[in-house]
Amino acid sequence: MKPTHIEHIGIAVKSLEEAIPFYENVLGLKCYAVEEVKDQKVKTAFFQVGQTKIELLESTDPEGPIGKFVEKNGGGMHHMAFAVEDVAEALNEAAAGCQLIDKAPRTGAEGLQIGFLHPKSTNRVLTELCGKK
Ligand code: ZN
């Protein structure tokens, strides 16, 4: 599938409001978008660093995936997303050697197509594939 770059790194936080000042005041980045993704029960905040984004994830529901992760770990690095041309095709290719969470792409933040690979198959790093189609 040849990913072109790290599209974003997803970081689970208890509160966007509490987390954003570190990225803005210490790292000097600018939060350019805050978006709710209802499907994933999160509110996201984005920062651009070169070709890569930092995606902060705040849960909107304690029963959602990020809500459970924060409850268990207190927050922290949650997933890494690789940019690919075609997510459906990349998931099909990955299926040969890897357990999938998503068998088909779904729509994530910023209107991008996304699909997750299971951490069991990715050295325990929750891995997302992300692209325009
Ligand atoms: Zn993501």
Side-chain angles (χ1 to χ4, degrees), residues 7-11 40 44 46 55 57 78-81 109 114 116 128 130:
E7 214 282 334
H8 64 267
I9 293 177
I11 297 171
Q40 288 166 66
T44 60
F46 283 97
E55 176 187 51
L57 302 146
H78 182 260
H79 67 273
M80 183 157 73
I114 63 166
F116 281 94
E128 178 183 347
C130 188

Side-chain angles (χ1 to χ4, degrees), residues 1-35:
M1 65 181 85
K2 292 226 172 98
T4 52
H5 58 283
I6 306 286
E7 214 282 334
H8 64 267
I9 293 177
I11 297 171
V13 299
K14 281 184 188 149
S15 147
L16 292 182
E17 203 184 323
E18 283 172 27
I20 286 172
F22 166 73
Y23 294 90
E24 292 201 324
N25 303 337
V26 179
L27 296 181
L29 302 171
K30 178 92 195 90
C31 175
Y32 70 87
V34 172
E35 183 191 343

